[in-house]
Amino acid sequence: MDAVVQFKNFAKSFDEKVVHEDVSFEVRRGECLGLLGGSGSGKSVILRTLVGLEKPDSGSVLVEDQDISNFSETELLEIRKKIAYVFQNGALFDSMTVFDNLAYALREHTKLSEAEIRDRVLRGLDDFGLKGNEDLYPASLSGGMQKRVGVARSIILQPKVVLYDEPTAGLDPYNTRRICEMVLRLKERGATAIFVTHDMPAAFSVCDRIAILKEGRIHTIGTREEIENFDPWVSRFIQGEEL
Ligand SMILES: Nc1ncnc2c1ncn2[C@@H]1O[C@H](COP(=O)(O)OP(=O)(O)OP(=O)(O)O)[C@@H](O)[C@H]1O
Ligand SMILES: [Mg+2]
């Protein structure tokens, strides 16, 4: 099956701290890969590397067979149009309304008319149960709504690849379910995704395979059935026991 994203022998350290020693995995076209691991295991660094916000120390990072490790800023702009990044903290523009947060990328990167933009934004908000909130500013939204606006904004350009960094963290079960449903809907439309989370039920509900990072390597990768019985450490990790 063809791979949209590939990490090959990826290594990354910050000063003396080795975060990734030898990480290799691939994300297949149309697949949602769960990326799990303890806090500080380097999940966000992997996502950041994929959009060129970090550079590998060694190894390669391929997006549709192109090694992006040494891409220029101009080349990275093209990659960032293809890959949406749902940031861990939402990263909304505080000084813009919900409407303008969603419209921003459409105004910057497409030639759509304002009427078409309005249509796309309102449809995007409706998909996330956010209709009627378009004139509000992020500060007046609940945490769950901010997260949903963040996801809606990230995917407005209908990207081929979506990177979700803990999109359900801190959400109640209802909002968690809504985000998971949206991830599944995008998957049905053919999007390839990496889903970083600490939420095992959410991971099992949306991911085709799950990769677990440990000590700078992919400790295991596979379907739920494959990883559940992989080894006692993984079983304890999945059950949320102290390691
Ligand atoms: N720019 C940076 N400078 C220095 N250290 C960094 C930098 N970015 C990440 N690190 C370190 O790399 C390690 C991995 O960070 P990362 O944010 O990827 O962890 P994570 O798996 O996403 O954790 P969490 O689940 O808490 O979000 C951490 O020890 C972090 O302190
Ligand atoms: Mg993180």
Side-chain angles (χ1 to χ4, degrees):
M1 203 181 294
D2 77 324
V4 175
V5 168
Q6 287 172 277
F7 277 72
K8 291 183 181 171
N9 308 112
F10 170 78
K12 181 76 185 170
S13 299
F14 293 97
D15 301 320
E16 301 296 280
K17 190 180 166 56
V18 180
V19 178
H20 299 105
E21 207 165 319
D22 186 1
V23 169
S24 299
F25 67 94
E26 62 176 41
V27 191
R28 302 164 183 165
R29 192 170 300 280
E31 163 176 67
C32 179
L33 179 77
L35 182 59
L36 279 71
S39 194
S41 61
K43 303 177 297 295
S44 297
V45 168
I46 285 185
L47 300 190
R48 289 167 56 76
T49 305
L50 262 176
V51 291
L53 295 172
E54 303 285 357
K55 295 266 179 234
D57 296 338
S58 61
S60 48
V61 177
L62 286 83
V63 177
E64 294 191 315
D65 294 326
Q66 281 185 300
D67 191 342
I68 65 157
S69 319
N70 295 310
F71 265 24
S72 65
E73 273 304 310
T74 325
E75 290 170 311
L76 286 172
L77 284 180
E78 287 307 309
I79 289 291
R80 288 178 193 143
K81 277 187 220 166
K82 235 190 285 192
I83 304 184
Y85 195 145
V86 180
F87 284 95
Q88 200 160 356
N89 59 10
L92 297 175
F93 302 123
D94 291 332
S95 60
M96 288 185 194
T97 62
V98 167
F99 184 92
D100 288 335
N101 262 281
L102 266 72
Y104 182 81
L106 295 171
R107 289 177 180 142
E108 286 288 302
H109 298 302
T110 73
K111 296 194 167 59
L112 294 177
S113 69
E114 266 307 304
E116 288 165 326
I117 288 176
R118 185 166 182 79
D119 200 52
R120 274 275 278 281
V121 169
L122 294 181
R123 241 182 312 134
L125 290 173
D126 199 21
D127 279 346
F128 284 88
L130 290 162
K131 212 169 156 181
N133 295 291
E134 49 272 22
D135 296 328
L136 298 179
Y137 285 86
S140 60
L141 303 176
S142 71
M145 285 162 90
Q146 287 184 13
K147 278 267 192 195
R148 279 186 280 150
V149 175
V151 180
R153 191 190 62 170
S154 305
I155 62 169
I156 197 86
L157 290 174
Q158 300 174 338
K160 284 186 176 177
V161 182
V162 191
L163 311 177
Y164 300 96
D165 202 345
E166 301 194 33
T168 65
L171 297 188
D172 60 38
Y174 171 71
N175 278 299
T176 298
R177 186 163 61 80
R178 289 198 88 125
I179 296 271
C180 290
E181 281 169 2
M182 202 57 225
V183 173
L184 287 171
R185 212 173 322 154
L186 278 171
K187 195 166 123 65
E188 279 163 20
R189 290 187 207 156
T192 302
I194 301 182
F195 189 86
V196 167
T197 189
H198 290 290
D199 180 342
M200 289 312 307
F204 286 142
S205 77
V206 300
C207 300
D208 300 292
R209 293 187 304 151
I210 287 174
I212 305 182
L213 274 171
K214 181 182 181 229
E215 292 162 6
R217 289 160 200 271
I218 298 290
H219 179 73
T220 181
I221 181 167
T223 60
R224 177 179 189 162
E225 292 68 33
E226 284 163 352
I227 65 161
E228 266 178 342
N229 300 308
F230 184 75
D231 69 12
W233 182 86
V234 171
S235 305
R236 287 201 303 278
F237 178 84
I238 289 174
Q239 278 147 30
E241 288 171 25
E242 197 175 2
L243 299 167

